[in-house]
Structure formats: structure tokens, C-alpha cells
Amino acid sequence: GLGDVAMARNNAAAAEGFYQRALRREPDSQSAVRSLVSLYEKQSPEKAMAYLQSLPTFLKNNMRNTLNELQANSLNAQADALITAGKPAQAEDKLQQAKVLSPDDIWLTYKLAKVMGAQGKTAQADRLFDDSISRHQNDADWIYAYSLYLSNSNRDAQAIARMEVLDAGKWNNNLRELSARLKVQQILDH
């Protein structure tokens, strides 16, 4: 619609007006709500979350995944700040909260496991990845993230073994490159 045309022309104010008019004409328009959320998210994730929170319950429920994603992203950003500030325990707490909202986020799982491992919670971090991998056994991206985690915690042999469980035909470039790097490293180490 006209809001999309305005967005394409980088006229956010006009786009917002068009989307809001569309909502006044059709109060349950998920398309208009999604467009406003996208517009607000570009301005600030907090503005998008506040808008989603202000929606009537039936619309908010329809946008639950988007709201969860925004909240998880906000918690992830807070965790980054805490990591930078040298507060890994608080960062872990934020990442745990984000993981509840976004349980299938590969890189959130990776970051949480890495933060846990840095605090000496390797067994818990491994369990976190094991639980996630059990739901994504044939997903090359998940296998890559887990293998990278294992490699970064000085467990190259385990990383290679984890990768080799996945049929080579399902490997992506990341897995091929990591496998090659780890195998070269094993040769150099012996």
C-alpha cells in the first residue's frame, strides 16, 4: 500500500501515517501492525516493543513471536554490555531469559554456552547445547555452532566427531572450513 511506497522512498513519517490510517479503517489488520512494528524497530527496538505491548490482547497474541524476538534481542544486547563490563554472571542471567523467549536461536545458544564455559560451567554449557542439538540433529548450522563451541573450548577431537555424525552431503561451507581447519591443526599438533 501507500505506507510501503512511503517506506521505499525513505519517508518514515508518511509511512507511519498511512499504516495508522489503515489500522483505523481495519483495526485487526495484522499487515498494518507488522509494518508499524518493522518501522518502529528500525527507529529503536524499545519503541517497537512498547508499541507491541500497547496493542489489544488479540493483536498482541498474533504478534507474540515478534514480541518475543524483540525482547530476546534486547536481553542479548544487555548481556553484551554486561560481558563488556566484566559481569559474566549477570550476562548469563540475561541470556538465560532470552533463551526462554527464543529457544531455537543458534547463536544465542552459542553465546550462552560460551559465557557459561568461561565461568567454569562447562558441563552445564554442554548440556545446554546437547538439549538444543537433540531437536536439530540434522541441521548443519546447529552442528557448526556446536562444533565451533567445542573447538573454542579446546576440544577439537570432539568437534570433529560431532561434525562427522552429520551426513557429509548436508554439510555447508562453514562445516567444511571448520573441519579442514581442525584436521590441519590436529596434524600440526602431532
Side-chain angles (χ1 to χ4, degrees):
L2 294 174
D4 295 335
V5 171
M7 280 301 292
R9 293 182 176 160
N10 292 322
N11 189 342
E16 181 178 13
F18 287 125
Y19 294 141
Q20 287 175 343
R21 269 185 252 145
L23 268 177
R24 281 193 294 275
R25 280 193 313 272
E26 192 180 332
D28 60 348
S29 171
Q30 290 185 29
S31 174
V33 169
R34 270 193 291 281
S35 296
L36 278 169
V37 168
S38 177
L39 171 77
Y40 293 150
E41 187 175 10
K42 288 175 185 164
Q43 295 171 355
S44 115
E46 291 78 20
K47 185 172 183 177
M49 275 195 298
Y51 173 68
L52 281 168
Q53 294 288 7
S54 74
L55 292 172
T57 302
F58 76 96
L59 278 174
K60 194 184 312 183
N61 288 339
N62 290 339
M63 300 297 292
R64 179 65 47 206
N65 289 342
T66 303
L67 180 58
N68 286 350
E69 184 180 322
L70 286 169
Q71 289 173 325
N73 290 344
S74 175
L75 289 163
N76 200 348
Q78 291 172 43
D80 286 342
L82 290 164
I83 290 167
T84 301
K87 299 178 179 179
Q90 292 95 327
E92 179 186 343
D93 182 53
K94 296 293 183 186
L95 291 170
Q96 291 278 14
Q97 292 173 48
K99 181 83 172 139
V100 169
L101 295 168
S102 190
D104 292 322
D105 184 323
I106 298 169
W107 297 108
L108 175 61
T109 302
Y110 175 83
K111 184 188 291 185
L112 177 55
K114 191 173 168 184
V115 167
M116 293 169 84
Q119 295 177 84
K121 300 177 180 178
T122 306
Q124 288 173 280
D126 289 354
R127 221 173 6 263
L128 172 75
F129 248 120
D130 286 339
D131 291 346
S132 294
I133 286 290
S134 69
R135 295 187 308 276
H136 304 281
Q137 294 176 31
N138 295 312
D139 186 319
D141 292 328
W142 274 96
I143 301 299
Y144 170 71
Y146 190 29
S147 299
L148 186 63
Y149 158 75
L150 290 168
S151 169
N152 286 338
S153 57
N154 299 316
R155 295 182 279 172
D156 291 354
Q158 282 180 272
I160 291 169
R162 174 33 83 190
M163 287 185 280
E164 290 176 347
V165 169
L166 184 65
D167 178 71
K170 295 181 179 179
W171 283 32
N172 59 22
N173 287 338
N174 289 333
L175 275 173
R176 283 187 281 281
E177 290 170 11
L178 180 60
S179 176
R181 181 174 58 83
L182 294 178
K183 287 178 180 177
V184 166
Q185 189 61 46
Q186 278 187 327
I187 291 168
L188 294 174
D189 289 345
H190 295 305

